[in-house]
Amino acid sequence: MKEAVENTMPIVVENGNWGAVSLSAIRAVVESAYAVLVHTFEKEPECIIHISPWNQYPLVAYDRRPYQIYLSARDTYWSQYVYQFSHELCHILTNFDRAKSHRHKWFEESLCELSSIFVLQRLAETWAENPPTGILKAVDFAPSHGKYAKSVEEKYRFVGRNLPGWFAGNIATLETSPEERDLNGIVAVALLKYFRKDPSLWRECGSLNKWDPEKDNSFSEYLDSWSACLSKNGLDNKAANIMRKLFYHTEKSEVQ
C-alpha cells in the first residue's frame, strides 16, 4: 500500500480511489487553492488537514483533529478539486465547529460557496502566470478554472432587481435548511463582486462563529454580533455593512 503524501504545508493527501491521478498532483492542486484562501483570510488552520476520497457529497468532519476533508473529485478534474476543497477549507477558516447548529448557518454555507468561485477565478490567473509544479500542462488548463467559475456564477446569478425582497421571501427556508445550494449560490454570487474588489473582507470572515450565534434571533442581530466581535478585536467592519446594504436596503437594488 502506498503511503499518504505529506509536505511542509499542513495538508496530507491520503491514499485511496482517486482514479487515474497521482497523490502528488492532487496535493499540488489543493495547495494552490489553500494558498489563495490562507493569504486572503490572513490565518491558517489550527492543525493539519487530511484529505480522503469518497463517493458521497464533499464535507469536512466535525469534531476531528486533525481536520478531515472528504472529496468526491476524481482523476484530473482539477477545477472540481479546487471547487470542493475551497468550500471545505472555508468552513475550517470560518471556525465551523465552534458553533455547529444555529439558524444562521446558511450564511457560512453561502460564504463557502463564494470561496469556491473566488478561488477558481484567482487560479485561472495564477496558473497562467505561475503554474504549480507537478501539474502537467497547468498553464493550458488555467482557462478551465475560469470557465468553471463562470458556469457556477451564471447558474446562480440573481435575476431581478429586488434582492431584499428575494431575501425576505427565502430567509425562513435558509434558517431551517442551511444547505439549500440554489439559495446559497444566489447569496454567494451577490457577494462575489465585493470580495473580488476587496479580498480583505475574507479576513473579517475569519471571526465568524467566535460568539454564540444561537442567541441571535434574526440575521440582523447576527450581523450586529459579528460587528461587535470584529470591533472588540480591532478589526475592520466592512463585510457586515455590505450584507445589510444587500439584504435589508429598502430601495430596489440591482446585483450585477
Side-chain angles (χ1 to χ4, degrees), residues 1-64:
M1 174 147 329
K2 296 179 181 178
E3 294 183 355
V5 174
E6 185 174 359
N7 77 330
T8 54
M9 282 191 180
I11 294 173
V12 178
V13 179
E14 303 283 0
N15 186 57
N17 182 22
W18 292 105
V21 63
S22 69
L23 297 185
S24 60
I26 296 171
R27 185 188 67 198
V29 173
V30 298
E31 281 180 354
S32 65
Y34 177 94
V36 171
L37 283 185
V38 166
H39 175 73
T40 53
F41 270 86
E42 297 185 24
K43 65 182 289 190
E44 294 189 2
E46 295 177 356
C47 62
I48 291 173
I49 300 171
H50 286 250
I51 306 173
S52 302
W54 75 342
N55 295 322
Q56 301 179 52
Y57 60 89
L59 62 79
V60 56
Y62 281 111
D63 300 321
R64 294 281 188 90

Side-chain angles (χ1 to χ4, degrees), residues 216-243:
D216 299 323
N217 293 318
S218 68
F219 185 58
S220 181
E221 290 183 14
Y222 176 87
L223 294 176
D224 290 342
S225 294
W226 187 15
S227 295
C229 179
L230 291 166
S231 298
K232 180 180 179 180
N233 290 282
L235 299 174
D236 290 336
N237 182 18
K238 296 174 288 185
N241 289 330
I242 290 172
M243 310 308 158

Side-chain angles (χ1 to χ4, degrees), residues 4 10 39 44-45 50 57 70 83 106 113 133 141 150 169 180 187 189 193 196 233 240 248:
H39 175 73
E44 294 189 2
H50 286 250
Y57 60 89
Y70 296 97
Y83 185 85
W106 64 267
E113 193 69 14
T133 59
F141 190 89
K150 188 67 173 178
E180 290 287 342
V187 174
V189 172
K193 68 177 182 180
R196 285 279 293 176
N233 290 282
Y248 291 109

Side-chain angles (χ1 to χ4, degrees), residues 84-100:
Q84 294 181 3
F85 175 74
S86 299
H87 183 110
E88 305 310 329
L89 178 58
C90 182
H91 277 302
I92 292 173
L93 295 176
T94 52
N95 316 298
F96 76 116
D97 53 359
R98 291 193 181 189
K100 299 176 185 178

